[in-house]
Amino acid sequence: MKETKTVSGMPETRAAMHEVMAAFEAFKGANDARLAELEKKASADTLLEEKVARIDAAVGSAQARLDRALSGARRPVLEAAPSGGFAATSPTNGEETKSAFAAYMTGGSTLGLELKAGLSSGPSSGGYVVPPETERAIERRLMAGSPMREIATVRTVGSGVFRKPVSTAGVEAGWVAETAARPETDPATLALLEFPSADLYACPAATQSLLDDALIDLDEWLAAEVEDAFSAQETEAFVNGDGVNKPRGFLDYDLVEDGDQEWGEIGYVASGAAGAFPASNPTDRLIDLVYAPKALYRPNARFVMNRRTVSTVRKFKDGDGNYIWQPAQRPGDTASLLGYPVTEIETMPDIGADAPAIAFGDFQRGYLIVDRAGVRVLRDPYSAKPYVLFYTTKRVGGGVQNFDAIKVMKFAAS
């Protein structure tokens, strides 16, 4: 049995989409009036500037509500029962496993659970691998709550380090006549990328009364408790992480002017002004960013920026006077910029001096998230009485796997 999601039939999604479109129409009218005043008087009325700012904030809030409504629909289709792979580490009877884990959560009973050492170096080191149903509930919520998980490649592995060989220079080829000699060509140049997994932990608390409540689904309760903590830490690491006991973010790699970068570096396009867009034709710089990646990466490409940067580019028009930012036109879509989807990630830097505030590219090809199979829980009824703590850990890694697929805009003159 599979979990399926429908989007078009969700009234809250349609209502949120209509709210975005109505707010954006109001924004266009107010911003057009502001631009007309700027052309006529070289300055806009303060009240009009404030009106544009208020409506822009309303568009941003409506878009955020729409994104939240759509996040559940963008969750991956999941099997309701394990079909192989890492499920072999769990007992064959899923109901027995879930019942044993529920007994452990509510009362600390360890009967029927497999002990896993190595959660910590203390004398009480140990923990229990959660049942597949609980692990999938956590993964499902993380997929909905983490924007990077929605756009990157996510792979589940069975070891602490995932190693991926990649070709940095392809095999050479050439044209020859039918009977001509065929000289030996240089082989492909290979590099080995390593993606180590690091421990991500949270420690939700519950009262014993809550755990004893027969109406509580412990799988969903645990997943909901760790969702916000895990997704916030993951998103920050996937963007800015330094790779030390955490994933390495795509902005942590060396940024080199596009065309001069080598393997292991991210190419950038300058905005044309120090810490800002240029005063004239700022849209041209965004078009330069769109055409920085090779053609094969553009069909699945998208913009990534935070909401304050979205607020800035929302005011831009193309040469024909059309706004380059557009709200979603139908349920299931996202807002677009120059025809490409926009993913808002709050951990992206603000526009500022030398800040890589906008990224563009095919993140599915460019960034890899590695999940080490297994989520572990250690029950602690002693440290915070009368609360019961659940020390929950999962191992996550990540990094750039294709340096040609992602480009950034650096807000500098050159």
Side-chain angles (χ1 to χ4, degrees), residues 222-286:
L222 182 63
E225 288 293 306
V226 303
E227 175 188 3
D228 290 341
F230 279 2
S231 61
Q233 291 294 326
E234 282 190 347
T235 302
E236 170 65 27
F238 296 152
V239 175
N240 300 305
D242 59 9
V244 179
N245 297 324
K246 61 174 69 71
R248 188 173 183 183
F250 63 88
L251 293 184
D252 184 66
Y253 295 84
D254 291 337
L255 303 181
V256 179
E257 187 174 4
D258 189 48
D260 295 335
Q261 79 274 13
E262 298 178 352
W263 183 258
E265 300 171 334
I266 299 290
Y268 75 82
V269 173
S271 67
F277 280 101
S280 61
N281 301 322
T283 301
D284 291 352
R285 299 295 179 167
L286 290 170

Side-chain angles (χ1 to χ4, degrees), residues 290-328:
V290 167
Y291 285 94
K294 296 178 180 178
L296 72 159
Y297 300 116
R298 288 199 294 273
N300 195 40
R302 64 180 55 243
F303 285 96
V304 172
M305 62 191 83
N306 67 28
R307 58 186 171 86
R308 290 170 291 278
T309 305
V310 171
S311 176
T312 298
V313 302
R314 189 181 286 133
K315 302 179 177 71
F316 295 166
K317 294 184 177 183
D318 61 18
D320 297 326
N322 301 311
Y323 283 89
I324 63 173
W325 185 94
Q326 292 293 325

Side-chain angles (χ1 to χ4, degrees), residues 20-64:
V20 171
M21 297 179 70
F24 185 59
E25 288 300 318
F27 169 81
K28 289 194 294 185
N31 194 53
D32 287 345
R34 180 184 70 89
L35 293 175
E37 278 206 3
L38 285 174
E39 291 182 3
K40 185 185 301 184
K41 304 178 182 178
S43 63
D45 181 70
T46 303
L47 293 177
L48 186 55
E49 293 276 12
E50 292 177 352
K51 179 181 179 180
V52 171
R54 286 197 304 272
I55 300 177
D56 178 65
V59 175
S61 298
Q63 183 65 45

